[in-house]
Amino acid sequence: MRVHSILNRIEPSRPAHQRYGFSYTLNPYRGCTFACRYCYARYTHEWLGLDGDADFDQKIRLKQDIAMVLDRDLKKLRRGRSGSGGGIAIGTATDPYQPLEKVYGLTRACLQVLAQEEGLKLQLTTKSNLALRDLELFRKISKRNEFTVHVTVTTLDRALARSLEPGAPSPRARIETIAALTAAGIRVEPFVCPLIPGLTDAEGDLERLFAELSLAGASRVICEAIFLRSPTKEVFFRHLEKEAPDLLERYRRRFADSAFLSPIEVERLKGRVARLRRKFGLTGAAPVEDAPLARVPRRGGPRRLPRRGAPLSRPRQLGLFG
């Protein structure tokens, strides 16, 4: 994809800015081969004229000349032409360390540009141990900027993780990534998400996960409940029909009229998470509660790639709790 800008601006009034402190998102890739069954970002492929169901994990778009475009965007920010305040969140819609990163290095190219900056607030989200490849860049960025890595661990159950996230690294690899990053002095705030009733929310399972995260050196975790909108809802329902048919009808009722769990279910999950945070000392300085999060890129651009792409619509808001 050819792109004119790589930073997607989030309006200051949006919850993502207010609660999580970022004003811009940066996604080197469009689509993701991790193929997570619950991925909320599938619908963004429709902006490219592609199918958010069949194409999202099969037809990946790479953003061309990404380092040059990012450098240009950052210069505009410094001149105050694109708004002010807030930070930059990397990998909010697709994983910046999916396997294609080994070949094309788009995320690394962005980090090399960011490593020349100072005074930025940056965060990066991934499920991949490939992030350890860039440990020295993380260190360099952290010296002059506020930098946080969010490693997502949905469950410790390897078979369940493989079923839900067929292309992603194992839970053990992610825990080891957290341990290596924290040992290197990088701030890591794991994402335990999504919390999926009937699959990943059992208190005993979460207790074991929180214990592992604590041992790995995390001081805070952020949790989010599953929400389902089309086409993700259809993908997830097909998954349930095959892997957990006893849950399918319950989920159809839950999400018949809303993309979100009921307030009662959210409160139940919040209470469970709060108890475990306290038990394992994972509250950090400012635990997040009821935090809506907007994590959708608006438009799509690193090496010589086919010319493709079209103007995309503005991002729509996503509501989650953290």
PDB file of all heavy atoms in Angstrom, residues 36-40 127 152-155 164-165 191-197 199-201 206 209 222-228 236 251 261 269 295 320-321:
ATOM      1  N   CYS A  36      -6.643 -14.665  14.872  1.00  0.00           N
ATOM      2  CA  CYS A  36      -7.385 -14.846  16.118  1.00  0.00           C
ATOM      3  C   CYS A  36      -8.887 -14.827  15.843  1.00  0.00           C
ATOM      4  O   CYS A  36      -9.385 -13.934  15.146  1.00  0.00           O
ATOM      5  CB  CYS A  36      -7.009 -13.757  17.117  1.00  0.00           C
ATOM      6  SG  CYS A  36      -5.253 -13.785  17.550  1.00  0.00           S
ATOM      7  N   ARG A  37      -9.593 -15.802  16.389  1.00  0.00           N
ATOM      8  CA  ARG A  37     -11.014 -15.962  16.091  1.00  0.00           C
ATOM      9  C   ARG A  37     -11.851 -14.807  16.619  1.00  0.00           C
ATOM     10  O   ARG A  37     -12.936 -14.540  16.113  1.00  0.00           O
ATOM     11  CB  ARG A  37     -11.541 -17.277  16.695  1.00  0.00           C
ATOM     12  CG  ARG A  37     -10.720 -18.506  16.368  1.00  0.00           C
ATOM     13  CD  ARG A  37     -10.527 -18.715  14.883  1.00  0.00           C
ATOM     14  NE  ARG A  37      -9.905 -20.006  14.599  1.00  0.00           N
ATOM     15  CZ  ARG A  37      -9.387 -20.339  13.428  1.00  0.00           C
ATOM     16  NH1 ARG A  37      -9.400 -19.461  12.429  1.00  0.00           N
ATOM     17  NH2 ARG A  37      -8.842 -21.529  13.248  1.00  0.00           N
ATOM     18  N   TYR A  38     -11.349 -14.102  17.626  1.00  0.00           N
ATOM     19  CA  TYR A  38     -12.109 -13.045  18.281  1.00  0.00           C
ATOM     20  C   TYR A  38     -11.664 -11.654  17.854  1.00  0.00           C
ATOM     21  O   TYR A  38     -12.128 -10.651  18.408  1.00  0.00           O
ATOM     22  CB  TYR A  38     -11.950 -13.153  19.801  1.00  0.00           C
ATOM     23  CG  TYR A  38     -10.503 -13.235  20.229  1.00  0.00           C
ATOM     24  CD1 TYR A  38      -9.673 -12.117  20.200  1.00  0.00           C
ATOM     25  CD2 TYR A  38      -9.944 -14.445  20.638  1.00  0.00           C
ATOM     26  CE1 TYR A  38      -8.346 -12.184  20.560  1.00  0.00           C
ATOM     27  CE2 TYR A  38      -8.610 -14.531  20.993  1.00  0.00           C
ATOM     28  CZ  TYR A  38      -7.826 -13.403  20.958  1.00  0.00           C
ATOM     29  OH  TYR A  38      -6.497 -13.469  21.311  1.00  0.00           O
ATOM     30  N   CYS A  39     -10.763 -11.536  16.891  1.00  0.00           N
ATOM     31  CA  CYS A  39     -10.142 -10.238  16.579  1.00  0.00           C
ATOM     32  C   CYS A  39     -11.173  -9.206  16.134  1.00  0.00           C
ATOM     33  O   CYS A  39     -11.841  -9.373  15.110  1.00  0.00           O
ATOM     34  CB  CYS A  39      -9.079 -10.411  15.505  1.00  0.00           C
ATOM     35  SG  CYS A  39      -8.279  -8.847  15.066  1.00  0.00           S
ATOM     36  N   TYR A  40     -11.288  -8.129  16.887  1.00  0.00           N
ATOM     37  CA  TYR A  40     -12.281  -7.094  16.598  1.00  0.00           C
ATOM     38  C   TYR A  40     -11.942  -6.300  15.338  1.00  0.00           C
ATOM     39  O   TYR A  40     -12.804  -5.638  14.764  1.00  0.00           O
ATOM     40  CB  TYR A  40     -12.379  -6.116  17.773  1.00  0.00           C
ATOM     41  CG  TYR A  40     -11.107  -5.356  18.025  1.00  0.00           C
ATOM     42  CD1 TYR A  40     -10.789  -4.214  17.306  1.00  0.00           C
ATOM     43  CD2 TYR A  40     -10.201  -5.800  18.982  1.00  0.00           C
ATOM     44  CE1 TYR A  40      -9.610  -3.532  17.518  1.00  0.00           C
ATOM     45  CE2 TYR A  40      -9.012  -5.130  19.198  1.00  0.00           C
ATOM     46  CZ  TYR A  40      -8.724  -4.004  18.477  1.00  0.00           C
ATOM     47  OH  TYR A  40      -7.541  -3.340  18.684  1.00  0.00           O
ATOM     48  N   LYS A 127       1.560 -10.220  20.476  1.00  0.00           N
ATOM     49  CA  LYS A 127       1.503 -11.565  21.043  1.00  0.00           C
ATOM     50  C   LYS A 127       2.791 -12.338  20.757  1.00  0.00           C
ATOM     51  O   LYS A 127       2.875 -13.526  21.074  1.00  0.00           O
ATOM     52  CB  LYS A 127       0.329 -12.351  20.440  1.00  0.00           C
ATOM     53  CG  LYS A 127      -1.060 -11.918  20.853  1.00  0.00           C
ATOM     54  CD  LYS A 127      -2.091 -12.877  20.252  1.00  0.00           C
ATOM     55  CE  LYS A 127      -3.499 -12.595  20.775  1.00  0.00           C
ATOM     56  NZ  LYS A 127      -4.138 -11.490  20.044  1.00  0.00           N
ATOM     57  N   THR A 152       0.108  -9.609  24.978  1.00  0.00           N
ATOM     58  CA  THR A 152      -1.217 -10.190  25.212  1.00  0.00           C
ATOM     59  C   THR A 152      -1.097 -11.680  25.500  1.00  0.00           C
ATOM     60  O   THR A 152      -0.516 -12.434  24.714  1.00  0.00           O
ATOM     61  CB  THR A 152      -2.121  -9.984  23.987  1.00  0.00           C
ATOM     62  OG1 THR A 152      -2.261  -8.587  23.733  1.00  0.00           O
ATOM     63  CG2 THR A 152      -3.497 -10.590  24.226  1.00  0.00           C
ATOM     64  N   VAL A 153      -1.653 -12.094  26.628  1.00  0.00           N
ATOM     65  CA  VAL A 153      -1.733 -13.514  26.984  1.00  0.00           C
ATOM     66  C   VAL A 153      -3.187 -13.805  27.327  1.00  0.00           C
ATOM     67  O   VAL A 153      -3.698 -13.353  28.349  1.00  0.00           O
ATOM     68  CB  VAL A 153      -0.826 -13.876  28.175  1.00  0.00           C
ATOM     69  CG1 VAL A 153      -0.787 -15.390  28.350  1.00  0.00           C
ATOM     70  CG2 VAL A 153       0.581 -13.322  27.985  1.00  0.00           C
ATOM     71  N   THR A 154      -3.854 -14.552  26.476  1.00  0.00           N
ATOM     72  CA  THR A 154      -5.280 -14.809  26.648  1.00  0.00           C
ATOM     73  C   THR A 154      -5.548 -15.954  27.615  1.00  0.00           C
ATOM     74  O   THR A 154      -6.503 -15.928  28.376  1.00  0.00           O
ATOM     75  CB  THR A 154      -5.910 -15.137  25.278  1.00  0.00           C
ATOM     76  OG1 THR A 154      -5.486 -14.153  24.335  1.00  0.00           O
ATOM     77  CG2 THR A 154      -7.420 -15.132  25.343  1.00  0.00           C
ATOM     78  N   THR A 155      -4.692 -16.969  27.585  1.00  0.00           N
ATOM     79  CA  THR A 155      -4.849 -18.160  28.413  1.00  0.00           C
ATOM     80  C   THR A 155      -3.514 -18.875  28.481  1.00  0.00           C
ATOM     81  O   THR A 155      -2.667 -18.729  27.588  1.00  0.00           O
ATOM     82  CB  THR A 155      -5.900 -19.106  27.811  1.00  0.00           C
ATOM     83  OG1 THR A 155      -5.948 -20.319  28.581  1.00  0.00           O
ATOM     84  CG2 THR A 155      -5.584 -19.465  26.376  1.00  0.00           C
ATOM     85  N   LEU A 164      -7.923 -20.730  19.557  1.00  0.00           N
ATOM     86  CA  LEU A 164      -8.415 -19.353  19.463  1.00  0.00           C
ATOM     87  C   LEU A 164      -7.508 -18.458  18.631  1.00  0.00           C
ATOM     88  O   LEU A 164      -7.980 -17.519  17.989  1.00  0.00           O
ATOM     89  CB  LEU A 164      -8.552 -18.756  20.862  1.00  0.00           C
ATOM     90  CG  LEU A 164      -9.679 -19.275  21.747  1.00  0.00           C
ATOM     91  CD1 LEU A 164      -9.496 -18.763  23.168  1.00  0.00           C
ATOM     92  CD2 LEU A 164     -11.033 -18.856  21.199  1.00  0.00           C
ATOM     93  N   GLU A 165      -6.197 -18.741  18.665  1.00  0.00           N
ATOM     94  CA  GLU A 165      -5.192 -17.881  18.038  1.00  0.00           C
ATOM     95  C   GLU A 165      -4.232 -18.755  17.234  1.00  0.00           C
ATOM     96  O   GLU A 165      -3.064 -18.910  17.589  1.00  0.00           O
ATOM     97  CB  GLU A 165      -4.427 -17.116  19.130  1.00  0.00           C
ATOM     98  CG  GLU A 165      -5.324 -16.374  20.097  1.00  0.00           C
ATOM     99  CD  GLU A 165      -4.682 -16.156  21.472  1.00  0.00           C
ATOM    100  OE1 GLU A 165      -3.652 -16.800  21.789  1.00  0.00           O
ATOM    101  OE2 GLU A 165      -5.225 -15.335  22.229  1.00  0.00           O
ATOM    102  N   PHE A 191      -1.542  -7.579  28.559  1.00  0.00           N
ATOM    103  CA  PHE A 191      -2.971  -7.598  28.308  1.00  0.00           C
ATOM    104  C   PHE A 191      -3.468  -9.019  28.537  1.00  0.00           C
ATOM    105  O   PHE A 191      -2.998  -9.960  27.890  1.00  0.00           O
ATOM    106  CB  PHE A 191      -3.281  -7.205  26.861  1.00  0.00           C
ATOM    107  CG  PHE A 191      -3.261  -5.728  26.577  1.00  0.00           C
ATOM    108  CD1 PHE A 191      -3.109  -5.284  25.272  1.00  0.00           C
ATOM    109  CD2 PHE A 191      -3.411  -4.797  27.579  1.00  0.00           C
ATOM    110  CE1 PHE A 191      -3.106  -3.925  24.983  1.00  0.00           C
ATOM    111  CE2 PHE A 191      -3.406  -3.439  27.307  1.00  0.00           C
ATOM    112  CZ  PHE A 191      -3.256  -2.997  26.004  1.00  0.00           C
ATOM    113  N   VAL A 192      -4.403  -9.181  29.456  1.00  0.00           N
ATOM    114  CA  VAL A 192      -5.107 -10.456  29.623  1.00  0.00           C
ATOM    115  C   VAL A 192      -6.465 -10.259  28.958  1.00  0.00           C
ATOM    116  O   VAL A 192      -7.411  -9.753  29.553  1.00  0.00           O
ATOM    117  CB  VAL A 192      -5.258 -10.832  31.109  1.00  0.00           C
ATOM    118  CG1 VAL A 192      -6.084 -12.107  31.255  1.00  0.00           C
ATOM    119  CG2 VAL A 192      -3.876 -11.029  31.743  1.00  0.00           C
ATOM    120  N   CYS A 193      -6.501 -10.600  27.686  1.00  0.00           N
ATOM    121  CA  CYS A 193      -7.699 -10.291  26.936  1.00  0.00           C
ATOM    122  C   CYS A 193      -7.729 -11.049  25.614  1.00  0.00           C
ATOM    123  O   CYS A 193      -6.680 -11.445  25.118  1.00  0.00           O
ATOM    124  CB  CYS A 193      -7.798  -8.790  26.680  1.00  0.00           C
ATOM    125  SG  CYS A 193      -6.459  -8.120  25.683  1.00  0.00           S
ATOM    126  N   PRO A 194      -8.932 -11.248  25.094  1.00  0.00           N
ATOM    127  CA  PRO A 194     -10.176 -10.899  25.765  1.00  0.00           C
ATOM    128  C   PRO A 194     -10.553 -11.935  26.809  1.00  0.00           C
ATOM    129  O   PRO A 194     -10.177 -13.110  26.693  1.00  0.00           O
ATOM    130  CB  PRO A 194     -11.195 -10.889  24.628  1.00  0.00           C
ATOM    131  CG  PRO A 194     -10.682 -11.925  23.680  1.00  0.00           C
ATOM    132  CD  PRO A 194      -9.183 -11.821  23.753  1.00  0.00           C
ATOM    133  N   LEU A 195     -11.266 -11.505  27.815  1.00  0.00           N
ATOM    134  CA  LEU A 195     -11.887 -12.441  28.756  1.00  0.00           C
ATOM    135  C   LEU A 195     -13.127 -12.999  28.077  1.00  0.00           C
ATOM    136  O   LEU A 195     -14.044 -12.260  27.739  1.00  0.00           O
ATOM    137  CB  LEU A 195     -12.257 -11.721  30.045  1.00  0.00           C
ATOM    138  CG  LEU A 195     -11.076 -11.153  30.854  1.00  0.00           C
ATOM    139  CD1 LEU A 195     -11.589 -10.288  31.998  1.00  0.00           C
ATOM    140  CD2 LEU A 195     -10.188 -12.273  31.378  1.00  0.00           C
ATOM    141  N   ILE A 196     -13.144 -14.314  27.863  1.00  0.00           N
ATOM    142  CA  ILE A 196     -14.204 -14.955  27.088  1.00  0.00           C
ATOM    143  C   ILE A 196     -14.991 -15.874  28.015  1.00  0.00           C
ATOM    144  O   ILE A 196     -14.488 -16.937  28.413  1.00  0.00           O
ATOM    145  CB  ILE A 196     -13.623 -15.763  25.914  1.00  0.00           C
ATOM    146  CG1 ILE A 196     -12.673 -14.891  25.087  1.00  0.00           C
ATOM    147  CG2 ILE A 196     -14.739 -16.325  25.043  1.00  0.00           C
ATOM    148  CD1 ILE A 196     -11.943 -15.647  23.987  1.00  0.00           C
ATOM    149  N   PRO A 197     -16.198 -15.492  28.414  1.00  0.00           N
ATOM    150  CA  PRO A 197     -16.980 -16.328  29.331  1.00  0.00           C
ATOM    151  C   PRO A 197     -17.114 -17.758  28.817  1.00  0.00           C
ATOM    152  O   PRO A 197     -17.430 -18.002  27.657  1.00  0.00           O
ATOM    153  CB  PRO A 197     -18.344 -15.616  29.362  1.00  0.00           C
ATOM    154  CG  PRO A 197     -18.009 -14.179  29.095  1.00  0.00           C
ATOM    155  CD  PRO A 197     -16.891 -14.224  28.091  1.00  0.00           C
ATOM    156  N   LEU A 199     -14.737 -19.841  28.395  1.00  0.00           N
ATOM    157  CA  LEU A 199     -13.501 -20.333  27.782  1.00  0.00           C
ATOM    158  C   LEU A 199     -12.249 -19.883  28.535  1.00  0.00           C
ATOM    159  O   LEU A 199     -11.390 -20.703  28.853  1.00  0.00           O
ATOM    160  CB  LEU A 199     -13.410 -19.887  26.323  1.00  0.00           C
ATOM    161  CG  LEU A 199     -14.375 -20.549  25.336  1.00  0.00           C
ATOM    162  CD1 LEU A 199     -14.193 -19.963  23.945  1.00  0.00           C
ATOM    163  CD2 LEU A 199     -14.172 -22.063  25.303  1.00  0.00           C
ATOM    164  N   THR A 200     -12.132 -18.600  28.822  1.00  0.00           N
ATOM    165  CA  THR A 200     -10.883 -18.107  29.428  1.00  0.00           C
ATOM    166  C   THR A 200     -11.096 -17.399  30.769  1.00  0.00           C
ATOM    167  O   THR A 200     -10.139 -16.844  31.308  1.00  0.00           O
ATOM    168  CB  THR A 200     -10.167 -17.125  28.474  1.00  0.00           C
ATOM    169  OG1 THR A 200     -10.933 -15.913  28.370  1.00  0.00           O
ATOM    170  CG2 THR A 200      -9.984 -17.731  27.096  1.00  0.00           C
ATOM    171  N   ASP A 201     -12.320 -17.399  31.288  1.00  0.00           N
ATOM    172  CA  ASP A 201     -12.595 -16.572  32.470  1.00  0.00           C
ATOM    173  C   ASP A 201     -12.695 -17.343  33.770  1.00  0.00           C
ATOM    174  O   ASP A 201     -13.009 -16.756  34.807  1.00  0.00           O
ATOM    175  CB  ASP A 201     -13.888 -15.776  32.257  1.00  0.00           C
ATOM    176  CG  ASP A 201     -15.118 -16.688  32.237  1.00  0.00           C
ATOM    177  OD1 ASP A 201     -14.987 -17.858  31.804  1.00  0.00           O
ATOM    178  OD2 ASP A 201     -16.202 -16.230  32.658  1.00  0.00           O
ATOM    179  N   LEU A 206      -7.523 -18.095  35.570  1.00  0.00           N
ATOM    180  CA  LEU A 206      -7.005 -16.732  35.648  1.00  0.00           C
ATOM    181  C   LEU A 206      -5.994 -16.593  36.788  1.00  0.00           C
ATOM    182  O   LEU A 206      -5.003 -15.875  36.655  1.00  0.00           O
ATOM    183  CB  LEU A 206      -8.152 -15.741  35.845  1.00  0.00           C
ATOM    184  CG  LEU A 206      -9.020 -15.470  34.614  1.00  0.00           C
ATOM    185  CD1 LEU A 206     -10.189 -14.556  34.985  1.00  0.00           C
ATOM    186  CD2 LEU A 206      -8.205 -14.836  33.487  1.00  0.00           C
ATOM    187  N   LEU A 209      -2.733 -17.800  35.599  1.00  0.00           N
ATOM    188  CA  LEU A 209      -2.168 -16.850  34.640  1.00  0.00           C
ATOM    189  C   LEU A 209      -1.604 -15.631  35.350  1.00  0.00           C
ATOM    190  O   LEU A 209      -0.477 -15.191  35.068  1.00  0.00           O
ATOM    191  CB  LEU A 209      -3.241 -16.436  33.623  1.00  0.00           C
ATOM    192  CG  LEU A 209      -2.865 -15.351  32.614  1.00  0.00           C
ATOM    193  CD1 LEU A 209      -1.570 -15.690  31.886  1.00  0.00           C
ATOM    194  CD2 LEU A 209      -4.004 -15.132  31.626  1.00  0.00           C
ATOM    195  N   ILE A 222      -3.768  -5.388  32.336  1.00  0.00           N
ATOM    196  CA  ILE A 222      -4.968  -4.741  31.809  1.00  0.00           C
ATOM    197  C   ILE A 222      -5.850  -5.824  31.204  1.00  0.00           C
ATOM    198  O   ILE A 222      -5.368  -6.668  30.443  1.00  0.00           O
ATOM    199  CB  ILE A 222      -4.605  -3.679  30.755  1.00  0.00           C
ATOM    200  CG1 ILE A 222      -3.757  -2.582  31.397  1.00  0.00           C
ATOM    201  CG2 ILE A 222      -5.867  -3.085  30.123  1.00  0.00           C
ATOM    202  CD1 ILE A 222      -3.172  -1.600  30.413  1.00  0.00           C
ATOM    203  N   CYS A 223      -7.109  -5.827  31.566  1.00  0.00           N
ATOM    204  CA  CYS A 223      -8.035  -6.860  31.097  1.00  0.00           C
ATOM    205  C   CYS A 223      -9.179  -6.229  30.315  1.00  0.00           C
ATOM    206  O   CYS A 223      -9.633  -5.126  30.641  1.00  0.00           O
ATOM    207  CB  CYS A 223      -8.604  -7.642  32.274  1.00  0.00           C
ATOM    208  SG  CYS A 223      -7.350  -8.479  33.256  1.00  0.00           S
ATOM    209  N   GLU A 224      -9.651  -6.966  29.301  1.00  0.00           N
ATOM    210  CA  GLU A 224     -10.755  -6.501  28.471  1.00  0.00           C
ATOM    211  C   GLU A 224     -11.687  -7.668  28.201  1.00  0.00           C
ATOM    212  O   GLU A 224     -11.249  -8.797  27.992  1.00  0.00           O
ATOM    213  CB  GLU A 224     -10.247  -5.927  27.150  1.00  0.00           C
ATOM    214  CG  GLU A 224      -9.313  -4.743  27.318  1.00  0.00           C
ATOM    215  CD  GLU A 224      -8.684  -4.312  26.011  1.00  0.00           C
ATOM    216  OE1 GLU A 224      -8.889  -4.978  24.979  1.00  0.00           O
ATOM    217  OE2 GLU A 224      -7.983  -3.290  26.039  1.00  0.00           O
ATOM    218  N   ALA A 225     -12.965  -7.392  28.210  1.00  0.00           N
ATOM    219  CA  ALA A 225     -13.958  -8.421  27.903  1.00  0.00           C
ATOM    220  C   ALA A 225     -14.146  -8.530  26.400  1.00  0.00           C
ATOM    221  O   ALA A 225     -13.986  -7.557  25.663  1.00  0.00           O
ATOM    222  CB  ALA A 225     -15.298  -8.077  28.563  1.00  0.00           C
ATOM    223  N   ILE A 226     -14.492  -9.721  25.949  1.00  0.00           N
ATOM    224  CA  ILE A 226     -14.756  -9.921  24.537  1.00  0.00           C
ATOM    225  C   ILE A 226     -15.952  -9.079  24.092  1.00  0.00           C
ATOM    226  O   ILE A 226     -16.896  -8.851  24.850  1.00  0.00           O
ATOM    227  CB  ILE A 226     -15.032 -11.416  24.237  1.00  0.00           C
ATOM    228  CG1 ILE A 226     -15.068 -11.654  22.720  1.00  0.00           C
ATOM    229  CG2 ILE A 226     -16.312 -11.894  24.923  1.00  0.00           C
ATOM    230  CD1 ILE A 226     -15.116 -13.117  22.337  1.00  0.00           C
ATOM    231  N   PHE A 227     -15.869  -8.536  22.895  1.00  0.00           N
ATOM    232  CA  PHE A 227     -17.050  -7.975  22.265  1.00  0.00           C
ATOM    233  C   PHE A 227     -17.045  -8.429  20.811  1.00  0.00           C
ATOM    234  O   PHE A 227     -15.985  -8.674  20.226  1.00  0.00           O
ATOM    235  CB  PHE A 227     -17.121  -6.446  22.409  1.00  0.00           C
ATOM    236  CG  PHE A 227     -16.188  -5.687  21.526  1.00  0.00           C
ATOM    237  CD1 PHE A 227     -16.630  -5.127  20.345  1.00  0.00           C
ATOM    238  CD2 PHE A 227     -14.858  -5.509  21.888  1.00  0.00           C
ATOM    239  CE1 PHE A 227     -15.774  -4.408  19.534  1.00  0.00           C
ATOM    240  CE2 PHE A 227     -13.986  -4.798  21.083  1.00  0.00           C
ATOM    241  CZ  PHE A 227     -14.451  -4.243  19.894  1.00  0.00           C
ATOM    242  N   LEU A 228     -18.223  -8.568  20.254  1.00  0.00           N
ATOM    243  CA  LEU A 228     -18.358  -9.197  18.943  1.00  0.00           C
ATOM    244  C   LEU A 228     -19.242  -8.364  18.023  1.00  0.00           C
ATOM    245  O   LEU A 228     -20.423  -8.166  18.307  1.00  0.00           O
ATOM    246  CB  LEU A 228     -18.959 -10.600  19.094  1.00  0.00           C
ATOM    247  CG  LEU A 228     -18.117 -11.612  19.876  1.00  0.00           C
ATOM    248  CD1 LEU A 228     -18.927 -12.885  20.127  1.00  0.00           C
ATOM    249  CD2 LEU A 228     -16.826 -11.934  19.136  1.00  0.00           C
ATOM    250  N   PHE A 236     -16.361 -15.997  15.037  1.00  0.00           N
ATOM    251  CA  PHE A 236     -16.302 -16.588  16.373  1.00  0.00           C
ATOM    252  C   PHE A 236     -17.408 -17.622  16.573  1.00  0.00           C
ATOM    253  O   PHE A 236     -17.180 -18.679  17.179  1.00  0.00           O
ATOM    254  CB  PHE A 236     -16.404 -15.487  17.433  1.00  0.00           C
ATOM    255  CG  PHE A 236     -16.149 -15.980  18.831  1.00  0.00           C
ATOM    256  CD1 PHE A 236     -14.868 -16.320  19.226  1.00  0.00           C
ATOM    257  CD2 PHE A 236     -17.184 -16.107  19.748  1.00  0.00           C
ATOM    258  CE1 PHE A 236     -14.623 -16.791  20.515  1.00  0.00           C
ATOM    259  CE2 PHE A 236     -16.955 -16.571  21.021  1.00  0.00           C
ATOM    260  CZ  PHE A 236     -15.663 -16.902  21.409  1.00  0.00           C
ATOM    261  N   TYR A 251     -24.040 -17.791  23.473  1.00  0.00           N
ATOM    262  CA  TYR A 251     -23.422 -16.617  22.848  1.00  0.00           C
ATOM    263  C   TYR A 251     -24.361 -15.951  21.849  1.00  0.00           C
ATOM    264  O   TYR A 251     -24.366 -14.722  21.730  1.00  0.00           O
ATOM    265  CB  TYR A 251     -22.099 -17.004  22.189  1.00  0.00           C
ATOM    266  CG  TYR A 251     -20.926 -16.818  23.119  1.00  0.00           C
ATOM    267  CD1 TYR A 251     -20.599 -17.793  24.052  1.00  0.00           C
ATOM    268  CD2 TYR A 251     -20.180 -15.651  23.089  1.00  0.00           C
ATOM    269  CE1 TYR A 251     -19.537 -17.612  24.926  1.00  0.00           C
ATOM    270  CE2 TYR A 251     -19.121 -15.458  23.959  1.00  0.00           C
ATOM    271  CZ  TYR A 251     -18.805 -16.445  24.877  1.00  0.00           C
ATOM    272  OH  TYR A 251     -17.762 -16.248  25.752  1.00  0.00           O
ATOM    273  N   LEU A 261     -20.977  -7.601  26.235  1.00  0.00           N
ATOM    274  CA  LEU A 261     -21.569  -8.367  27.317  1.00  0.00           C
ATOM    275  C   LEU A 261     -22.485  -7.471  28.142  1.00  0.00           C
ATOM    276  O   LEU A 261     -22.356  -6.251  28.139  1.00  0.00           O
ATOM    277  CB  LEU A 261     -20.473  -8.943  28.220  1.00  0.00           C
ATOM    278  CG  LEU A 261     -19.554 -10.007  27.607  1.00  0.00           C
ATOM    279  CD1 LEU A 261     -18.459 -10.381  28.614  1.00  0.00           C
ATOM    280  CD2 LEU A 261     -20.337 -11.240  27.200  1.00  0.00           C
ATOM    281  N   LEU A 269     -16.856 -10.018  35.872  1.00  0.00           N
ATOM    282  CA  LEU A 269     -15.473 -10.142  35.422  1.00  0.00           C
ATOM    283  C   LEU A 269     -14.574  -9.122  36.107  1.00  0.00           C
ATOM    284  O   LEU A 269     -13.445  -9.432  36.510  1.00  0.00           O
ATOM    285  CB  LEU A 269     -15.401  -9.975  33.907  1.00  0.00           C
ATOM    286  CG  LEU A 269     -16.014 -11.102  33.069  1.00  0.00           C
ATOM    287  CD1 LEU A 269     -16.041 -10.710  31.597  1.00  0.00           C
ATOM    288  CD2 LEU A 269     -15.244 -12.400  33.257  1.00  0.00           C
ATOM    289  N   ARG A 295      -9.065   1.426  18.998  1.00  0.00           N
ATOM    290  CA  ARG A 295      -7.798   0.909  18.510  1.00  0.00           C
ATOM    291  C   ARG A 295      -7.897   0.558  17.034  1.00  0.00           C
ATOM    292  O   ARG A 295      -7.424  -0.466  16.595  1.00  0.00           O
ATOM    293  CB  ARG A 295      -7.406  -0.334  19.306  1.00  0.00           C
ATOM    294  CG  ARG A 295      -7.291  -0.080  20.796  1.00  0.00           C
ATOM    295  CD  ARG A 295      -6.572  -1.176  21.500  1.00  0.00           C
ATOM    296  NE  ARG A 295      -7.238  -2.458  21.380  1.00  0.00           N
ATOM    297  CZ  ARG A 295      -6.829  -3.549  22.014  1.00  0.00           C
ATOM    298  NH1 ARG A 295      -5.770  -3.512  22.766  1.00  0.00           N
ATOM    299  NH2 ARG A 295      -7.477  -4.696  21.880  1.00  0.00           N
ATOM    300  N   LEU A 320     -14.527  -0.861  25.038  1.00  0.00           N
ATOM    301  CA  LEU A 320     -14.102  -2.012  25.822  1.00  0.00           C
ATOM    302  C   LEU A 320     -13.901  -1.550  27.255  1.00  0.00           C
ATOM    303  O   LEU A 320     -13.839  -0.372  27.530  1.00  0.00           O
ATOM    304  CB  LEU A 320     -12.770  -2.566  25.298  1.00  0.00           C
ATOM    305  CG  LEU A 320     -12.674  -2.928  23.802  1.00  0.00           C
ATOM    306  CD1 LEU A 320     -11.254  -3.378  23.520  1.00  0.00           C
ATOM    307  CD2 LEU A 320     -13.648  -3.996  23.447  1.00  0.00           C
ATOM    308  N   PHE A 321     -13.758  -2.513  28.143  1.00  0.00           N
ATOM    309  CA  PHE A 321     -13.322  -2.098  29.469  1.00  0.00           C
ATOM    310  C   PHE A 321     -11.950  -2.690  29.702  1.00  0.00           C
ATOM    311  O   PHE A 321     -11.582  -3.727  29.181  1.00  0.00           O
ATOM    312  CB  PHE A 321     -14.309  -2.548  30.560  1.00  0.00           C
ATOM    313  CG  PHE A 321     -14.068  -3.932  31.090  1.00  0.00           C
ATOM    314  CD1 PHE A 321     -13.203  -4.126  32.148  1.00  0.00           C
ATOM    315  CD2 PHE A 321     -14.689  -5.041  30.530  1.00  0.00           C
ATOM    316  CE1 PHE A 321     -12.973  -5.394  32.655  1.00  0.00           C
ATOM    317  CE2 PHE A 321     -14.465  -6.310  31.028  1.00  0.00           C
ATOM    318  CZ  PHE A 321     -13.608  -6.490  32.093  1.00  0.00           C
TER     319      PHE A 321
END
